[in-house]
Amino acid sequence: MRYLVLIGLVALTGCKEEQAATPPPPADLTETALSYFCQMHISEHGGPKGQVHLKGHEQPLFFAQVRDMVAYLKSPEREADITGAYVSDMAMALSWEVPGTGNWIPADTALYVVGAGVAGGMGAPEIVPFGDAEGAQGFISTYGGEAVPLRDIPDEAALGPVDLDQTLETPV
């Protein structure tokens, strides 16, 4: 009988761990959403966006630039465990100025174009996410850069200083 109880407890623990591993769904971007770092309305800025869900928090943190979200993900100083992260799929965006409010893809499955020399919503060099290699390659053929998965984004692409005198292009 003790063995049956023990097996039941182990199975229950396994189920709870499995439930905890399921990320929350992405939240739609609203007109009132504020960017985590600058507290500005995201809807007033073009380019791809990001959102990070934290354990114990009902609403996600939104980011006006994917570069900012990647910086947050790479930072060891967070207030809670990350339960999910999503980025705009720029292959599905209407335009750079209208990146979409519900075209979110999991951040860990996206391909990111780095080094393209394009300005994100806050004017810094942007890391541009795509849901597939075809979308990323199309962007690269026009703006340059290289496509990498989230884990291979160089630290300096998100954490390095920004040269405010550099000329960055705003994609159409």
Side-chain angles (χ1 to χ4, degrees):
M1 181 64 159
R2 287 190 315 185
Y3 292 113
L4 289 177
V5 171
L6 183 59
I7 290 171
L9 287 174
V10 169
L12 184 59
T13 302
C15 289
K16 284 186 179 182
E17 287 176 12
E18 191 173 302
Q19 288 175 348
T22 303
D28 282 344
L29 189 58
T30 66
E31 291 288 320
T32 60
L34 300 176
S35 184
Y36 175 70
F37 286 130
C38 66
Q39 294 299 297
M40 296 175 75
H41 285 101
I42 292 179
S43 61
E44 296 174 5
H45 304 279
K49 310 298 178 223
Q51 63 177 275
V52 173
H53 295 255
L54 301 174
K55 184 177 182 179
H57 293 254
E58 194 172 310
Q59 297 298 317
L61 304 177
F62 282 105
F63 296 87
Q65 280 202 223
V66 171
R67 179 186 199 276
D68 293 344
M69 186 198 79
V70 172
Y72 183 85
L73 293 175
K74 288 180 174 281
S75 172
E77 300 173 6
R78 291 193 239 24
E79 61 183 80
D81 291 336
I82 293 172
T83 59
Y86 299 93
V87 291
S88 305
D89 182 353
M90 291 307 285
M92 305 303 287
L94 295 176
S95 69
W96 192 260
E97 290 303 315
V98 184
T101 59
N103 55 320
W104 299 105
I105 54 175
D108 61 349
T109 65
L111 279 176
Y112 297 85
V113 176
V114 296
V118 297
M122 300 307 294
E126 185 59 291
I127 299 168
V128 188
F130 290 90
D132 59 40
E134 185 179 333
Q137 289 305 318
F139 190 85
I140 290 168
S141 69
T142 302
Y143 301 103
E146 67 174 314
V148 298
L150 179 63
R151 69 181 173 278
D152 293 341
I153 294 174
D155 288 350
E156 60 272 8
L159 301 172
V162 174
D163 178 2
L164 297 177
D165 292 329
Q166 70 182 323
T167 302
L168 298 172
E169 192 169 348
T170 300
V172 281

